[in-house]
Amino acid sequence: MNPFYIETYGCQMNVSDSEVVARVLTDNGYLLCSQIEEANIILINTCSVRENAEKRVMNRLDHFGRVKKKNPLLKVGVLGCMATRLKEELLNHPAVDWVAGPDSYRFLPAMLGSSATAPIHVDLSLSETYEDIKPYRGPEPGITSFVTIMRGCDNMCAYCIVPYVRGRERSRDPKSIEAEVKDLVESGFKEVTLLGQNVNSYRWDPMATQPSGVSADVAKPLPQAEPATVSFADLLDRVARISPGLRIRFTTSHPKDMQDDVLHVMARHPNICKHIHLPVQSGSNNILRKMNRGYTREQYLDRINNIRTLLPQCGISTDLITGFCSETEEDHKQTLSLMKEIRFDQAFMFHYSQRPNTQAWRHYADNVPGTVKIRRLKEIIALQNKHALESNRAEIGCVHEVLVEGVSKRSAEEYFGRTDTGKVCVFPKKNSVPGEFVNVGVTSCTGATLKGEIT
Ligand code: SAH
Ligand code: SF4
Ligand code: F3S
């Protein structure tokens, strides 16, 4: 048995993909190890979204190069988004033996097993969703899990590399999603997060999947039996019905595509967590237009308004970028004012990092100086920290249902979990066990965490 180890960088999609890779290889006689030192194959699943993400991986590859000098039996494969972006170039790195892109994981056993197979496969697919592969989620059943519902992205936000490295958007058959979720419930999982770059554009068209060679006339079912397309709201509804005891989360929502139908489904099902991650990126209409985001500040505010009307307690988080091409002080002020108007519960904030071959790279100058990007980033972080602390302080005295996820990093005497609204909560164990739902009364907080007691 050939022992391998997977190191994962980037977003949840990569975490989920690493589980697919683990299944493909363990089904083909490879042994997954939990310690990197035990492996003679290291696979590194990579991210290209910002320059820093790639730098971290390149540093790791340099490190593996040094380890290889001491251990010539060690082999290294690069997976994920950098594999698509850099292709053969990666094979020039002394540490790298194989390169496999996000749609090439079925080819790994052949690639790793035989020198007759090319050491690189980075073609993107129009149809691959790995829907028949059951992700390997560890030797013991866990508590929370990701379930990928679609792959790729068709949005072409001007700054973003994802459509180039992940390919065209494609949705996975809802039946296979339901089957995977049912299986997770049966093995004891308590929460699933449905994953896609833009879950709101999930669309399953059964007619588009007629077997080839069958004439459309013959294949067409009777009118009353005609299967309808499945939207994200339909899928969410179907997944929520699988088990009332299973919590459902989803990410990422896109402001241009998120309609009220999703909010109505969320309102109907108590087991769908009341938390929406809705990246806004900027508060300035000039910048939003240049970013090709497909909505205005006013339309975004309108979405927030609908969320707050239909789901009054819903947690709202976002992503923000400072210093996109030609961003002025006035544009930046618009972002700060939007943040003040909305008061996000959480935000992931970045300074703009130009990515090769994106629309912004082709058409706009990366002309905001680095020092200005970083100063603006610091300003939005400071404002967001203030809002997060205020949002958490308002929770003191409230009771939240929390799913116990595991032992807190800070103290072995405490567990951590998340509220329905997506906030991390830490509390003394008090006879509870991981995987259990407990009611926690919030007693204090920081900007990042609620602290409480099981009531
Ligand atoms: N599909 C999701 C997330 C994509 S990547 C969405 O549409 O929101 C996650 C976040 O990284 C983005 O929301 C954006 O805020 C940030 N990001 C993407 N490209 C970036 C770049 N070139 N520079 C800085 N931040 C970037
Ligand atoms: Fe990138 Fe935009 Fe697609 Fe998100 S929606 S992955 S930001 S192109
Ligand atoms: Fe990074 Fe690829 Fe995800 S570029 S953010 S790992 S889709």
Side-chain angles (χ1 to χ4, degrees):
M1 292 269 251
N2 228 337
F4 71 102
Y5 181 86
I6 313 182
E7 197 167 280
T8 306
Y9 293 83
C11 64
Q12 295 114 321
M13 301 293 277
N14 264 12
V15 175
S16 181
D17 280 2
S18 288
E19 296 175 346
V20 167
V21 170
R23 173 66 66 195
V24 169
L25 288 177
T26 50
D27 277 358
N28 282 277
Y30 292 82
L31 179 74
L32 181 65
C33 2
S34 55
Q35 302 297 323
I36 197 161
E37 296 78 21
E38 294 163 4
N40 55 27
I41 294 173
I42 297 173
L43 300 174
I44 178 161
N45 197 356
T46 62
C47 173
S48 289
V49 80
R50 282 169 290 275
E51 198 181 348
N52 275 343
E54 291 202 349
K55 272 195 188 140
R56 278 171 68 202
V57 168
M58 293 317 282
N59 289 342
R60 275 310 266 169
L61 291 179
D62 293 345
H63 168 75
F64 295 149
R66 291 189 290 274
V67 179
K68 268 182 142 183
K69 285 201 179 122
K70 286 178 239 151
N71 175 7
L73 294 179
L74 182 69
K75 298 251 185 198
V76 175
V78 178
L79 313 180
C81 299
M82 281 173 75
T84 331
R85 195 177 88 71
L86 296 168
K87 303 185 173 60
E88 281 82 8
E89 205 181 309
L90 283 165
L91 285 174
N92 295 334
H93 191 287
V96 180
D97 299 282
W98 304 292
V99 178
D103 290 340
S104 307
Y105 300 147
R106 289 181 200 270
F107 307 113
L108 280 173
M111 209 191 258
L112 271 53
S114 155
S115 53
T117 308
I120 177 162
H121 197 295
V122 290
D123 294 351
L124 292 168
S125 159
L126 294 176
S127 58
E128 179 64 276
T129 60
Y130 300 117
E131 61 184 27
D132 54 320
I133 296 175
K134 182 177 159 177
Y136 177 82
R137 299 187 164 100
E140 303 289 329
I143 295 163
T144 67
S145 177
F146 295 125
V147 173
T148 300
I149 63 165
M150 59 206 293
R151 299 180 71 80
C153 183
D154 283 352
N155 281 320
M156 298 291 170
C157 302
Y159 51 81
C160 187
I161 193 90
V162 172
Y164 302 89
V165 291
R166 289 251 158 194
R168 299 304 300 262
E169 180 185 287
R170 62 220 102 118
S171 296
R172 177 178 164 189
D173 186 338
K175 288 200 194 70
S176 82
I177 297 169
E178 283 173 302
E180 186 173 330
V181 173
K182 278 183 192 146
D183 189 63
L184 287 167
V185 172
E186 277 157 24
S187 29
F189 281 83
K190 296 296 184 331
E191 181 181 291
V192 296
T193 303
L194 306 179
L195 289 184
Q197 293 296 353
N198 172 3
V199 290
N200 307 104
S201 65
Y202 175 91
R203 185 150 294 274
W204 175 256
D205 179 0
M207 297 312 278
T209 58
Q210 288 292 353
S212 57
V214 181
S215 111
D217 283 346
V218 178
K220 202 171 183 187
L222 294 171
Q224 67 269 32
E226 196 159 318
T229 56
V230 179
S231 68
F232 179 62
D234 300 331
L235 177 76
L236 195 57
D237 186 64
R238 281 165 67 163
V239 172
R241 284 170 198 278
I242 291 172
S243 164
L246 180 74
R247 263 188 174 184
I248 321 291
R249 297 183 185 276
F250 57 88
T251 198
T252 301
S253 300
H254 197 302
K256 81 174 163 55
D257 296 318
M258 201 200 67
Q259 301 302 326
D260 289 351
D261 56 351
V262 172
L263 304 179
H264 289 300
V265 173
M266 289 175 77
R268 252 199 327 270
H269 292 283
N271 60 336
I272 303 180
C273 290
K274 304 300 178 277
H275 173 208
I276 297 179
H277 183 62
L278 198 64
V280 63
Q281 315 298 0
S282 168
S284 150
N285 278 336
N286 286 337
I287 295 295
L288 288 172
R289 196 177 322 109
K290 274 194 120 168
M291 285 180 164
N292 199 23
R293 287 289 288 177
Y295 54 86
T296 59
R297 174 191 175 102
E298 292 71 28
Q299 285 166 330
Y300 186 86
L301 283 166
D302 187 55
R303 288 287 85 217
I304 297 291
N305 203 10
N306 284 16
I307 296 172
R308 292 200 163 140
T309 308
L310 293 166
L311 304 166
Q313 304 302 322
C314 193
I316 302 177
S317 56
T318 200
D319 293 346
L320 291 158
I321 299 176
T322 63
F324 184 63
C325 312
S326 309
E327 186 191 65
T328 61
E329 264 334 291
E330 181 49 36
D331 293 321
H332 172 58
K333 284 199 181 111
Q334 294 274 308
T335 298
L336 292 164
S337 89
L338 181 87
M339 292 171 74
K340 285 184 195 152
E341 205 164 331
I342 296 173
R343 306 176 67 85
F344 295 105
D345 296 290
Q346 291 166 50
F348 299 92
M349 294 162 280
F350 315 98
H351 60 78
Y352 172 59
S353 163
Q354 189 186 47
R355 307 311 292 130
N357 300 317
T358 53
Q359 282 187 20
W361 180 87
R362 276 180 273 143
H363 301 302
Y364 307 131
D366 179 12
N367 54 3
V368 177
T371 49
V372 176
K373 286 179 182 172
I374 290 169
R375 193 208 81 227
R376 289 179 188 165
L377 177 62
K378 283 186 179 157
E379 283 176 19
I380 66 168
I381 291 175
L383 181 63
Q384 180 53 33
N385 285 348
K386 180 171 165 282
H387 289 164
L389 184 62
E390 283 165 7
S391 154
N392 282 357
R393 278 202 185 127
E395 307 273 4
I396 294 174
C398 299
V399 176
H400 281 286
E401 189 179 59
V402 173
L403 171 60
V404 184
E405 289 184 42
V407 178
S408 150
K409 271 185 223 139
R410 295 260 168 85
S411 156
E413 306 307 312
E414 291 182 328
Y415 280 141
F416 80 95
R418 272 175 305 162
T419 64
D420 183 46
T421 52
K423 290 185 173 177
V424 175
C425 195
V426 175
F427 45 92
K429 292 177 172 173
K430 197 183 169 185
N431 302 327
S432 62
V433 288
E436 196 182 338
F437 288 97
V438 291
N439 287 320
V440 175
V442 180
T443 52
S444 65
C445 70
T446 67
T449 320
L450 301 176
K451 294 179 182 177
E453 302 275 347
I454 297 177
T455 56

